[in-house]
C-alpha cells in the first residue's frame, strides 16, 4: 500500500504521545494518513508537539485519572466520530534502585501508571473500538519478559500489561477487537 494512505481515515489515540517513543508512534501514524490524538499529562510538551505535527490534536490527560480518560475518549469521539486504535504507551522507568531502596508507595504509583492507566484507557475505549473492529496496542517492555537488575517494581508493572492482553484476546477478541503487545528494548529519546 502506498506510503501516506495505509491508515487514512483511521483515528488513533497515543497515550504519553508528547515525547519519546509515543511521539514517534504519533508521527508514524500521521505519516500513514491517520488522524492522531496525542494524550499526555505534560501540557506544554503536548501543545508544542501539536504545533509541529499538522493533523495531530493534543488532549491533556493523566491516564491515572479516570475522569481525564473519560474526557479524552468523549472529546475524541466528539471531534472525529469514531475511534480505531488506542496505543497504551504512557509509562515511566524509575532510576535504578535495589529492592531495599524501593518503597511500597513508589511501587503503587508505578502500578497506577504502567498497569492501571493501560487498564482504564482500554476499558473506556473498548465500546468504541468494538464498533470499528479496532486495535489495542500495549507498549510493554522487553524487560517485562527477561527481567532487569535494580528494577523490581518496573519489571513487575511491565510484565502485567503483557498478561493484561491475554484475557482481552480471550474474551473480547472475538468481539471485533485486535489486541497487540509490543516490547521495546533500550531506546534513548531525543
Ligand atoms: N525508552 C526505552 O528504552 C523503553 C524500553 C522499553 C519500554 N519502554 C516503554 O515505552 C513507553 C515510552 O517510553 P519513553 O522512553 O518514550 O518514555 P518518556 O519518558 O520519554 O515519555 C513518556 C511520556 O509519557 C507521559 N506520561 C507520563 N505519565 C503520564 C500520565 N500519567 N498520563 C499521561 N501521560 C503520561 C510523559 O509526560 C511523556 O511525554 C513507556 O511505557 C516505557 O515503559 C521504553
Amino acid at each position: 500500500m502506498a506510503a501516506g494512505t495505509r491508515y487514512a481515515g483511521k483515528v488513533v489515540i497515543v497515550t504519553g504521545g508528547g515525547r519519546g517513543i509515543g511521539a514517534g508512534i504519533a508521527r508514524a501514524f500521521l505519516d500513514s494518513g491517520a488522524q492522531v490524538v496525542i494524550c499526555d499529562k505534560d501540557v506544554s510538551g503536548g501543545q508544542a508537539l501539536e504545533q509541529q505535527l499538522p493533523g495531530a490534536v493534543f488532549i491533556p490527560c493523566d491516564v491515572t485519572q479516570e475522569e481525564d480518560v473519560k474526557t479524552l475518549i468523549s472529546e475524541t469521539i466528539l471531534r472525529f466520530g469514531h475511534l480505531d486504535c488506542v496505543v497504551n504507551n504512557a509509562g515511566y522507568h524509575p532510576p535504578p534502585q535495589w529492592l531495599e531502596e524501593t518503597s511500597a508507595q513508589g511501587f503503587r504509583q508505578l502500578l497506577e501508571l504502567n498497569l492501571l492507566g493501560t487498564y482504564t484507557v482500554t476499558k473506556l475505549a473498548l465500546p468504541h473500538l468494538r464498533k470499528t473492529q479496532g486495535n489495542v496496542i500495549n507498549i510493554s517492555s522487553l524487560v517485562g519478559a527477561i527481567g532487569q537488575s535494580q528494577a523490581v517494581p518496573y519489571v513487575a508493572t511491565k510484565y502485567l500489561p503483557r498478561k493484561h492482553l491475554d484475557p482481552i484476546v480471550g474474551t473480547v477478541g472475538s468481539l471485533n477487537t485486535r489486541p497487540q503487545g509490543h516490547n521495546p528494548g533500550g531506546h534513548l529519546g531525543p
Side-chain angles (χ1 to χ4, degrees):
M1 193 170 288
T5 59
R6 183 175 182 189
Y7 297 126
K10 302 292 183 188
V11 178
V12 181
I13 293 175
V14 183
T15 72
R19 70 164 189 241
I21 290 174
I25 293 169
R27 284 178 204 275
F29 272 113
L30 283 165
D31 288 346
S32 296
Q35 290 167 304
V36 175
V37 175
I38 295 168
C39 144
D40 208 291
K41 71 170 190 179
D42 172 9
V43 175
S44 57
Q47 284 174 339
L49 194 63
E50 183 184 45
Q51 295 300 314
Q52 289 170 28
L53 298 180
V57 169
F58 172 60
I59 300 179
C61 168
D62 180 339
V63 297
T64 68
Q65 303 300 313
E66 189 158 343
E67 287 307 312
D68 277 16
V69 178
K70 283 182 182 165
T71 303
L72 169 72
I73 304 292
S74 63
E75 278 199 28
T76 299
I77 297 300
L78 200 63
R79 280 168 185 257
F80 298 109
H82 66 281
L83 176 62
D84 298 282
C85 180
V86 291
V87 184
N88 287 306
N89 166 78
Y92 176 63
H93 190 316
Q97 283 182 312
W98 296 111
L99 183 58
E100 304 91 308
E101 297 165 346
T102 63
S103 69
Q105 180 57 16
F107 199 159
R108 277 189 205 101
Q109 285 170 351
L110 207 58
L111 280 166
E112 288 283 345
L113 173 57
N114 290 358
L115 179 63
L116 290 172
T118 292
Y119 155 80
T120 304
V121 173
T122 304
K123 183 179 83 166
L124 296 178
L126 207 48
H128 303 285
L129 294 174
R130 281 178 173 153
K131 291 179 193 162
T132 55
Q133 302 187 20
N135 279 24
V136 177
I137 301 175
N138 284 0
I139 304 300
S140 179
S141 172
L142 180 65
V143 305
I146 65 172
Q148 187 179 38
S149 174
Q150 293 180 276
V152 167
Y154 180 77
V155 168
T157 65
K158 285 298 181 175
Y159 173 77
L160 290 166
R162 297 161 59 87
K163 301 312 289 176
H164 168 261
L165 284 173
D166 291 351
I168 296 177
V169 172
T171 59
V172 303
S174 58
L175 296 174
N176 292 335
T177 63
R178 287 170 291 147
Q180 304 170 25
H182 292 277
N183 307 299
H187 168 84
L188 292 177

